[in-house]
Amino acid sequence: QVQLVQSGAELKKPGASVKVSCKASGYTFTNYYIHWVRQAPGQGFEWVGIIDPSGGRTNYAQNFQDRVTMTRDTSTSTVYMEVSSLESDDTAVYYCARRFCFGGTACQYDSWGQGTLVTVSS
Amino acid sequence: AIQMTQSPSSLSASVGDRVTLTCRASQGIRNDLGWYQQKPGQAPKLLIYAASSLQSGVPSRFSGSGSGTDFTLTISSLQPEDFATYYCLQDDSYPWTFGQGTKVEIK
């Protein structure tokens, strides 16, 4: 079955960087885009960006353009998201999610990682 | 970015009730909308895609409708396991955007 397994919780100081991993299994890794979204405590969701595991092409939300980098390792079926210059407002659960397109056109997230809590505190 | 507005932000209902949740887009998004259920401490679960198509394995008491800017998620007979927060998500254009959620609580 499709599984996305993320790395564990992180505690970082303001100004630091964090790198979260998302290991995929149960499907052909290069066939499906992976998105990253975040959810601040008790809040809704914010879209961070997307990576095409096949060619590595990325598209980031404007709010994160200068601070986020998404990469992938096809040998281990793992995608990574690195966020730099962390602030307290970046405290959130970060999720990776697989984009599945039903009938080739209607796309949604059919599988999610378990989430990684990133806490930014001095 | 397209803004998604859900209403109400929360509601109280009883087991067996029919419940309707609403999601409105700031501009037309055709039927490029999904609905998700999230329980505390869990990742969201896809219920509906393409505004009205039921995801495999999701009970038939869940249904979606709408097109353009106005969408609804209906639970025909609320079950104990349905108490959760529900989110809409537009996939019409990047950045994908979520509604702020509707929390369905036990009356």
Side-chain angles (χ1 to χ4, degrees), chain A residues 4 22 33-37 47-51 70 79 95-99 109, chain B residues 94 96:
Chain A
L4 299 173
C22 171
Y33 290 14
I34 294 290
H35 288 219
W36 289 89
V37 301
W47 187 81
V48 179
I50 179 176
I51 182 167
M70 295 178 186
V79 297
Y95 290 99
C96 61
R98 188 180 82 156
R99 188 191 83 164
Y109 302 137
Chain B
Y94 289 111
W96 285 15

Side-chain angles (χ1 to χ4, degrees), chain B residues 58-75:
Chain B
V58 174
S60 59
R61 63 181 180 274
F62 291 94
S63 64
S65 66
S67 182
T69 59
D70 295 308
F71 303 87
T72 59
L73 174 70
T74 299
I75 309 172

Side-chain angles (χ1 to χ4, degrees), chain A residues 2-48:
Chain A
V2 175
Q3 267 198 309
L4 299 173
V5 179
Q6 298 183 222
S7 48
E10 301 268 9
L11 174 61
K12 295 293 183 180
K13 293 190 182 304
S17 298
V18 68
K19 191 170 187 177
V20 180
S21 67
C22 171
K23 182 174 176 59
S25 63
Y27 71 97
T28 301
F29 175 65
T30 52
N31 283 0
Y32 298 91
Y33 290 14
I34 294 290
H35 288 219
W36 289 89
V37 301
R38 73 178 186 181
Q39 185 176 33
Q43 303 299 311
F45 292 93
E46 183 177 18
W47 187 81
V48 179

